[in-house]
Amino acid sequence: MATIELVDIAHAYVPGQYAVKDINLRWSDGVSSALLGPSGCGKTTLLKIISGLLIPTQGQVLLNGEEVNHKQPAERNIAQVFQFPVVYETLSVFENLAFPLRNRGVADSAVQKRVNEIAEILGLTDVLRQNAAKQGTAEKQLISLGRGVVREDISAILLDEPLTVIDPHQKWHIRRKLKQLQHELNLTMIYVTHDQHEALTFADQVTVMNTGEALQTGSPRELHDEPAAPFVGYFIGSPGMNIFEATLDGDAVRAQQISVTVPQAVIPQVQGQDLKLGIRPEFVEVSLTQQPAYFECEVQAIHLTGTAKILELSGMGLVFKARVADTFRIETGATVWANFPTHTTMIYADDRAINLEAEAKPL
């Protein structure tokens, strides 16, 4: 396996129009990672740069510390699995999995052993002798995946929206197989998706992208609890983070009638900046009775999610969402009281989070 690094990567398909820019990322050996973001944000461009299908306009691609910018894809030993399954339909499932090994002259006994090992992990043992054309879409994608990892010398495997065309009921099964494969073979795996659920349930490390930039890399918990940019907070979560335009008012950042006091050391770093406050719906505290420091709200709408209720509230000049337990007894039009705890309310200056506990250094 390999450690992959992108150093100061930028790429423009048209001069001056960058699809990705200022990318500095590192994927450690044997770690499951994801690139998450909306369509057109640059995820697939990065995969092509890593695999060697694109030479970046600027920057370095490093595999285990060695620059590989001008190495051909075959020289990088990186496997790819695409959105649509790629199988040799005239061959059996076994021969599909064996193809990369036979193509390199691997002995039959070694081919048999390795194919059986991969088939066992992916749950394909019972269909090895069947024709690949007779398999369903999910099984074909597993065959594509197996063919990518059957070689023991691959550096990494890149998966570009691999579950997009898979039936929703089968996605969980394939995602579980992917995690099992990654764990048992200690693969360096980068999974590209626009689906936050896929990324956050699969990967140990997730990079959120937008408009060609990598906004934040972290664990699913870090991205949820401390989003480094408003886009990260809004894109991750269901519903996403409440974001409010704000201004600096003395020693406080204020959104309408809600304010967060900031240390004196913070003030020079937020003066003149585009300011926002953000808080996740699940961090908004809601009470049916008046509490100290809580403010009065009206329930505008209630959305049922099965395990929780999402309340649309208006109060203190703001409209926002709060997540409460499904057992929370409330009706539309009712009055409740809400609170934005300071420790879970984020401050953003020019779309970068401010750390109030570290002398206002941006996260």
Side-chain angles (χ1 to χ4, degrees):
M1 295 302 104
T3 294
I4 301 172
E5 292 182 79
L6 302 181
V7 181
D8 297 328
I9 288 290
H11 186 74
Y13 291 99
V14 177
Q17 298 181 21
Y18 285 91
V20 294
K21 54 191 174 184
D22 302 324
I23 301 294
N24 288 277
L25 293 172
R26 184 179 190 274
W27 292 278
S28 298
D29 186 5
V31 171
S32 60
S33 304
L35 288 173
L36 172 65
S39 297
C41 72
K43 306 185 299 294
T44 297
T45 295
L46 282 189
L47 283 199
K48 290 179 178 179
I49 289 171
I50 294 169
S51 66
L53 296 175
L54 275 180
I55 297 176
T57 304
Q58 65 185 57
Q60 295 177 298
V61 181
L62 306 178
L63 291 182
N64 291 326
E66 177 190 357
E67 182 178 332
V68 295
N69 284 43
H70 296 286
K71 280 193 173 184
Q72 294 299 310
E75 298 177 281
R76 302 187 188 193
N77 286 330
I78 291 177
Q80 284 195 263
V81 176
F82 301 96
Q83 178 177 333
F84 297 98
V86 178
V87 300
Y88 304 117
E89 295 198 343
T90 60
L91 301 179
S92 68
V93 173
F94 180 94
E95 290 302 330
N96 265 270
L97 297 177
F99 186 86
L101 301 177
R102 296 202 191 285
N103 199 38
R104 286 163 175 76
V106 176
D108 285 346
S109 58
V111 170
Q112 185 79 37
K113 181 175 181 296
R114 182 62 173 177
V115 168
N116 287 338
E117 177 185 355
I118 298 300
E120 178 68 25
I121 295 173
L122 295 177
L124 295 172
T125 301
D126 291 341
V127 298
L128 278 177
R129 301 303 169 184
Q130 295 179 15
N131 192 281
K134 295 181 179 179
Q135 306 308 308
T137 304
E139 288 74 24
K140 288 180 179 179
Q141 192 64 294
L142 288 174
I143 295 168
S144 294
L145 175 63
R147 196 172 59 244
V149 302
V150 72
R151 289 166 40 213
E152 298 188 60
D153 63 343
I154 63 167
S155 300
I157 181 164
L158 313 179
L159 302 107
D160 193 0
E161 303 274 8
L163 302 185
T164 300
V165 298
I166 304 300
D167 184 283
H169 297 291
Q170 295 178 302
K171 285 186 177 183
W172 181 86
H173 170 71
I174 296 184
R175 191 162 58 245
R176 182 172 62 85
K177 289 298 182 183
L178 282 173
K179 288 181 70 70
Q180 182 181 351
L181 188 74
Q182 191 276 331
H183 176 73
E184 294 194 18
L185 300 184
N186 195 35
L187 295 170
T188 301
M189 189 176 285
I190 304 175
Y191 186 111
V192 161
T193 180
H194 64 275
D195 186 319
Q196 61 163 309
H197 181 72
E198 287 184 14
L200 299 178
T201 56
F202 168 76
D204 299 317
Q205 170 186 292
V206 180
T207 297
V208 179
M209 296 187 64
N210 191 38
T211 61
E213 297 183 32
L215 300 179
Q216 184 178 1
T217 298
S219 69
R221 175 58 63 185
E222 289 168 339
L223 297 177
H224 179 274
D225 290 356
E226 297 184 349
F231 179 84
V232 178
Y234 186 78
F235 193 74
I236 289 178
S238 181
M241 175 179 270
N242 297 297
I243 305 289
F244 312 109
E245 297 293 331
T247 57
L248 182 64
D249 182 8
D251 64 349
V253 174
R254 182 178 299 277
Q256 296 297 332
Q257 300 175 58
I258 297 293
S259 64
V260 177
T261 302
V262 296
Q264 288 295 316
V266 171
I267 294 176
Q269 298 194 35
V270 299
Q271 283 178 324
Q273 307 295 310
D274 175 25
L275 299 179
K276 295 181 177 68
L277 289 181
I279 185 169
R280 290 206 173 275
E282 49 268 49
F283 294 157
V284 176
E285 296 176 346
V286 180
S287 173
L288 293 172
T289 58
Q290 190 170 5
Q291 304 287 333
Y294 282 51
F295 56 91
E296 187 174 329
C297 298
E298 180 181 339
V299 179
Q300 301 288 325
I302 301 172
H303 304 279
L304 304 179
T305 66
T307 58
K309 292 176 180 175
I310 306 301
L311 308 183
E312 290 189 25
L313 304 176
S314 62
M316 298 289 273
L318 301 174
V319 177
F320 56 96
K321 294 181 174 65
R323 180 187 291 270
V324 296
D326 184 51
T327 55
F328 196 89
R329 300 292 184 181
I330 196 68
E331 294 181 358
T332 301
T335 296
V336 296
W337 283 261
N339 179 46
F340 292 0
T342 301
H343 68 283
T344 54
T345 302
M346 303 289 294
I347 297 176
Y348 297 99
D350 284 349
D351 289 337
R352 299 303 298 172
I354 297 297
N355 186 346
L356 300 182
E357 298 179 356
E359 298 185 353
K361 296 178 182 178
L363 292 173

